[in-house]
Amino acid sequence: ADVAVGPDWVIPFAEKERPYGYDEQAKRMKAPEFPEGATVTVSRKKDVDALRQPHDMVVVSFPAAPAAEGRLRAHDYEVSLQVHQGDIERTLLQKRVFSPRYLFGAERETVPVACWFTEKEVPADFPIRFVVRPVGTFGAAGRAISTDLIRISSTGRSQ
């Protein structure tokens, strides 16, 4: 079907200035943002890794950050696993993921984005939080959404 990939590109031609250069575009583009009320969910699933080895997985899911109000849709997403001990908060692990529909037109980006962690990457029975930021084409990161502090139970974990 004939579906537009996105809005038409307009390249302004100028005599002396280069408003279409990377640096100028980066200054003008606003960071992508999640829709109002967007949430992060966490689930557990069994799956296989790239070597076809079975693993218990922790799946972090969230909606795509669409284009809106002078903002491009997210290029990718920064997903951080934070550990909490008392008043200390540290990022234990950080991953970057693309939307599964990133290569399609923006109107087809309707499925949740997921970031998978093996159970061995996630500390068991410890207070953690998953924090997700949308990142734009030019590197600007939008406001984060996150889970509340949670604990992933060690019950049923393989050793």
Side-chain angles (χ1 to χ4, degrees):
D2 289 335
V3 177
V5 174
D8 292 340
W9 288 7
V10 177
I11 300 174
F13 289 102
E15 292 289 321
K16 296 178 183 173
E17 297 176 11
R18 299 177 68 76
Y20 49 88
Y22 183 90
D23 293 337
E24 291 301 314
Q25 290 281 9
K27 288 179 198 172
R28 275 199 314 273
M29 300 310 291
K30 296 178 183 175
E33 296 291 346
F34 286 109
E36 193 68 34
T39 60
V40 180
T41 60
V42 178
S43 60
R44 295 179 76 171
K45 295 183 180 179
K46 290 191 179 291
D47 209 331
V48 294
D49 64 15
L51 300 175
R52 310 300 294 162
Q53 298 300 310
H55 287 282
D56 288 331
M57 307 291 280
V58 175
V59 184
V60 179
S61 301
F62 48 92
E69 301 171 22
R71 301 175 194 279
L72 295 176
R73 65 183 174 159
H75 176 263
D76 63 323
Y77 300 87
E78 177 185 278
V79 181
S80 302
L81 166 57
Q82 295 179 345
V83 294
H84 292 258
Q85 187 170 16
D87 61 350
I88 299 172
E89 172 182 295
R90 299 211 175 162
T91 299
L92 178 65
L93 182 61
Q94 197 170 68
K95 295 185 177 191
R96 296 290 281 260
V97 296
F98 287 97
S99 162
R101 299 274 178 94
Y102 177 73
L103 297 176
F104 293 97
E107 69 279 349
R108 294 183 63 192
E109 196 165 32
T110 56
V111 298
V113 183
C115 182
W116 295 64
F117 293 83
T118 65
E119 69 171 4
K120 292 179 182 178
E121 293 175 309
V122 179
D125 298 317
F126 205 83
I128 62 170
R129 179 187 327 267
F130 290 99
V131 179
V132 182
R133 283 187 182 281
V135 180
T137 304
F138 296 98
R143 284 181 300 219
I145 57 174
S146 65
T147 62
D148 292 330
L149 281 178
I150 60 173
R151 290 178 185 261
I152 302 292
S153 170
S154 63
T155 305
R157 289 178 78 138
S158 58
Q159 300 300 321

